[in-house]
Amino acid sequence: MNVHTREIIIPGPAGDIDLSIDLPPGGITSRGLALIGHPHPLFAGTKNNKVAQTLARTFVQLGYATVRPNFRGVGKSAGEHDKGIGEQEDLLAVLDWMRQQTAWSPDVATLPLALGGFSFGTFVVSHVARTLAQRGTPAERLALVGTAASRWNIADVPADTIVIHGELDDTVPLASVLDWARPQELPVTVIPGADHFFHRKLHLIRSVIAGAWPATGTSAAATTQDA
């Protein structure tokens, strides 16, 4: 993503997991951790996808230590595509690893967790969020972009989840996202003129998330500063 991005390999349930790590200035966070899910591996989706990078950049600017793993069989990650099931296990393993990185913060084990996903990554992240909630360790908040509601069984998500979709998305029609969101009474932010990959609209993803995210040290007030 930038000169400060660190690339490492960690062990996972199916073998190596290939990670990109981006830290706030100084390499230390008191804000939280963020974990990003990338688009579909069988359609050239990787952790270096521009939307996944935009999500990571946004969370770093908000003060989060941010990790983007490659899913199974992508880049240097071992294993084979597992239709989102094994990928959930991998994200949970990455989170366990993140919770041990005391160099990022002495409180890393208990810092809030943000989850972000794009396209197929929204499916994986939504189910990881549900698992964490069932364990009694829920994520602080989710940000889902290009939610793949027409292709995957996206889990129900918390009411404060940020859902961003392109008006002209012809990969995941906006109507399918609204059908998924409607029973949850979940607002959807529609980016006019945006396609599935948000060409020339990436800055609006940053703006929406930064504008909706709580300011540092607050629990309810949202910051209006554009990251």
Side-chain angles (χ1 to χ4, degrees):
M1 184 171 71
N2 56 50
V3 295
H4 303 296
T5 301
R6 180 184 173 202
E7 309 283 346
I8 72 165
I9 303 291
I10 68 167
D16 290 346
I17 303 179
D18 177 14
L19 306 180
S20 290
I21 303 167
D22 292 285
L23 303 177
I28 298 174
T29 179
S30 60
R31 185 75 191 273
L33 309 176
L35 183 57
I36 309 299
H38 68 68
H40 204 299
L42 300 186
F43 298 94
T46 78
K47 62 184 174 65
N48 294 323
N49 167 269
K50 293 297 185 183
V51 176
Q53 288 186 328
T54 297
L55 284 166
R57 183 177 296 112
T58 301
F59 282 117
V60 170
Q61 291 174 337
L62 288 169
Y64 289 75
T66 304
V67 174
R68 288 171 288 132
N70 264 333
F71 287 138
R72 297 182 177 199
V74 179
K76 297 178 182 178
S77 289
E80 298 180 353
H81 175 64
D82 195 32
K83 300 180 180 180
I85 306 305
E87 288 80 357
Q88 295 171 42
E89 297 174 2
D90 293 344
L91 286 194
L92 289 167
V94 172
L95 176 57
D96 287 343
W97 176 85
M98 293 169 70
R99 292 291 189 197
Q100 300 171 32
Q101 304 313 301
T102 54
W104 299 352
S105 169
D107 302 319
V108 70
T110 57
L111 284 176
L113 171 71
L115 292 171
F118 170 51
S119 196
F120 173 78
T122 65
F123 165 63
V124 179
V125 161
S126 72
H127 285 273
V128 167
R130 184 171 67 178
T131 296
L132 292 173
Q134 291 170 344
R135 291 179 179 178
T137 57
E140 175 189 18
R141 199 173 189 185
L142 282 67
L144 305 181
V145 180
T147 305
S150 64
R151 296 170 176 260
W152 300 92
N153 180 25
I154 310 295
D156 287 353
V157 294
D160 64 351
T161 297
I162 299 169
V163 181
I164 303 172
H165 210 78
E167 176 194 18
L168 304 181
D169 191 330
D170 58 4
T171 300
V172 179
L174 174 60
S176 68
V177 178
L178 295 175
D179 288 343
W180 166 74
R182 191 175 299 111
Q184 303 177 71
E185 297 187 336
L186 187 67
V188 177
T189 298
V190 179
I191 304 300
D195 60 14
H196 186 63
F197 294 98
F198 290 81
H199 294 302
R200 296 183 295 278
K201 306 290 185 180
L202 294 172
H203 63 288
L204 295 175
I205 295 174
R206 295 197 301 271
S207 179
V208 168
I209 295 173
W213 211 262
T216 304
T218 67
S219 58
T223 178
T224 57
Q225 181 178 357
D226 184 353

